[in-house]
């Protein structure tokens, strides 16, 4: 009897232990944390000789048939009255064409343009097809004798560029690029030195479209098609009043360059390659 009781007792103890183990919650391993990769900084060029702002004109001629179409959204600081009177410094039809054709694009925008057209600026800045870069706030020249433009004094050049970035932020552009295009493309050593603290890369071009104030779309188209080479940067304009043919030019040039094997890229990709 004693032996039997001991066996029964042992069995009960074992059963209770197993039940207790089953009831004990097992440690829960934490789910692997999602790794968030911070967006990489846009590529820029190293400072030039003497630490001057570097200047980029075109990409590699040997790393594939790439081309960057760039558009200047021009509006000077003193043109508000003309805009109020009905002059169009924007070009929604051109932007719609670039979207329909799926062309990665860099828009060099003045701060005054962003103030005049904040919804369009915000739309461009948040569309991954586009990148917004700096074309100054005022569109005043950074040298003397630049196509008749008013000039920015040397001690105001940096402030003019920084004011444009501030205008972009107010318009809702989240990530304007560290690229700057001089109004009129005019610059000298003094201008490059003045912008060194801003940390931008100055972006020029190697193909002039000739669309500014042009009325012959076919002539502009020929000029672009004849000038483009691998790595080219083409300068055009995003202003209906000053460049009325540009949308038609783009609708013709893009498919023809694609037939020639060219791939459209933003300026950032050309600089990065």
């Amino acid at each position: 009897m004693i032996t039997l009781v001991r066996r029964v007792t042992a069995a009960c103890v074992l059963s209770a232990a197993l039940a207790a183990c089953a009831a004990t919650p097992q440690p829960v391993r934490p789910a692997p944390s999602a790794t968030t990769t911070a967006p990489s900084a846009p590529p820029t060029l190293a400072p030039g000789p003497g630490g001057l702002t570097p200047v980029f004109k075109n990409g590699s001629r040997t790393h594939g048939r790439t081309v960057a179409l760039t558009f200047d959204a021009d509006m000077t600081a003193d043109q508000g009255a003309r805009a109020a009177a009905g002059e169009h410094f924007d070009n929604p039809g051109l932007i719609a064409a670039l979207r329909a054709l799926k062309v990665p694009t860099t828009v060099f925008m003045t701060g005054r343009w962003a103030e005049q057209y904040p919804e369009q600026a915000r739309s461009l800045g948040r569309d991954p097809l586009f990148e917004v870069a700096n074309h100054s706030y005022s569109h005043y020249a950074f040298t003397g004798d630049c196509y008749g433009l008013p000039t920015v004094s040397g001690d105001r050049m940096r402030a003019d560029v920084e004011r444009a970035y501030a205008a972009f932020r107010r318009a809702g552009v989240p990530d304007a690029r560290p690229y700057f295009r001089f109004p009129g493309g005019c610059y000298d050593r003094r201008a490059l030195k003045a912008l060194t603290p801003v940390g931008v890369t100055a972006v020029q071009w190697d193909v002039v479209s000739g669309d500014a104030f042009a009325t012959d779309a076919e002539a502009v188209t020929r000029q672009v098609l004849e000038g483009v080479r691998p790595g080219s940067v083409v300068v055009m304009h995003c202003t209906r009043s000053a460049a009325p043919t540009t949308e038609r030019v783009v609708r013709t040039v893009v498919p023809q360059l694609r037939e020639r094997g060219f791939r459209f890229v933003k300026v950032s990709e050309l600089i990065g390659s």
Side-chain angles (χ1 to χ4, degrees):
M1 289 296 293
I2 295 176
T3 301
L4 180 59
V5 171
R6 286 177 177 170
R7 288 178 180 174
V8 172
T9 302
C12 291
V13 172
L14 179 60
S15 297
L18 291 173
C21 290
T24 302
Q26 298 299 308
V28 179
R29 293 182 179 178
S33 59
T35 56
T36 303
T37 303
S40 57
T44 55
L45 298 183
L52 296 180
T53 297
V55 180
F56 178 80
K57 294 182 179 179
N58 59 266
S60 170
R61 303 298 192 191
T62 59
H63 291 172
R65 296 172 73 81
T66 55
V67 57
L69 297 186
T70 68
F71 298 86
D72 292 355
D74 292 346
M75 186 174 178
T76 63
D78 58 359
Q79 289 177 330
R82 289 166 55 178
E87 184 170 347
H88 294 286
F89 295 92
D90 63 339
N91 195 337
L94 169 63
I95 300 304
L98 292 166
R99 284 175 167 144
L101 293 165
K102 295 181 173 56
V103 180
T105 303
T106 304
V107 178
F108 287 88
M109 187 181 297
T110 68
R112 185 64 188 86
W113 194 99
E115 290 177 345
Q116 187 69 34
Y117 305 106
E119 292 183 1
Q120 293 187 53
R122 181 165 55 251
S123 176
L124 291 170
R126 296 182 179 183
D127 186 337
L129 193 65
F130 295 86
E131 62 185 5
V132 172
N134 196 313
H135 196 31
S136 80
Y137 174 83
S138 64
H139 202 257
Y140 290 175
F142 282 54
T143 66
D145 191 23
C146 182
Y147 302 102
L149 290 172
T151 58
V152 178
S153 62
D155 61 344
R156 296 297 301 164
M157 291 178 181
R158 174 180 176 180
D160 194 72
V161 175
E162 292 175 338
R163 186 179 178 186
Y165 281 121
F168 300 156
R169 290 191 294 271
R170 287 194 302 271
V173 176
D175 189 27
R177 306 282 90 175
Y179 309 138
F180 176 73
R181 175 165 286 166
F182 287 99
C186 304
Y187 68 93
D188 55 18
R189 181 181 178 86
R190 182 184 70 156
L192 294 176
K193 184 177 181 179
L195 297 189
T196 297
V198 186
V200 294
T201 292
V203 177
Q204 295 290 96
W205 55 80
D206 67 319
V207 178
V208 178
S209 70
D211 67 335
F213 306 105
T215 57
D216 186 345
E218 291 185 1
V220 177
T221 298
R222 285 196 302 272
Q223 187 155 317
V224 173
L225 292 176
E226 290 172 2
V228 166
R229 301 167 57 195
S232 280
V233 176
V234 183
V235 59
M236 306 179 85
H237 293 83
C238 183
T239 311
R240 271 182 286 176
S241 62
T245 68
T246 308
E247 178 187 345
R248 282 180 286 162
V249 172
V250 164
R251 290 187 181 276
T252 303
V253 162
V254 168
Q256 291 198 31
L257 286 177
R258 281 176 170 156
E259 287 178 3
R260 297 181 185 181
F262 280 93
R263 180 173 65 89
F264 293 95
V265 299
K266 303 172 188 174
V267 166
S268 56
E269 183 170 336
L270 284 186
I271 293 176
S273 63

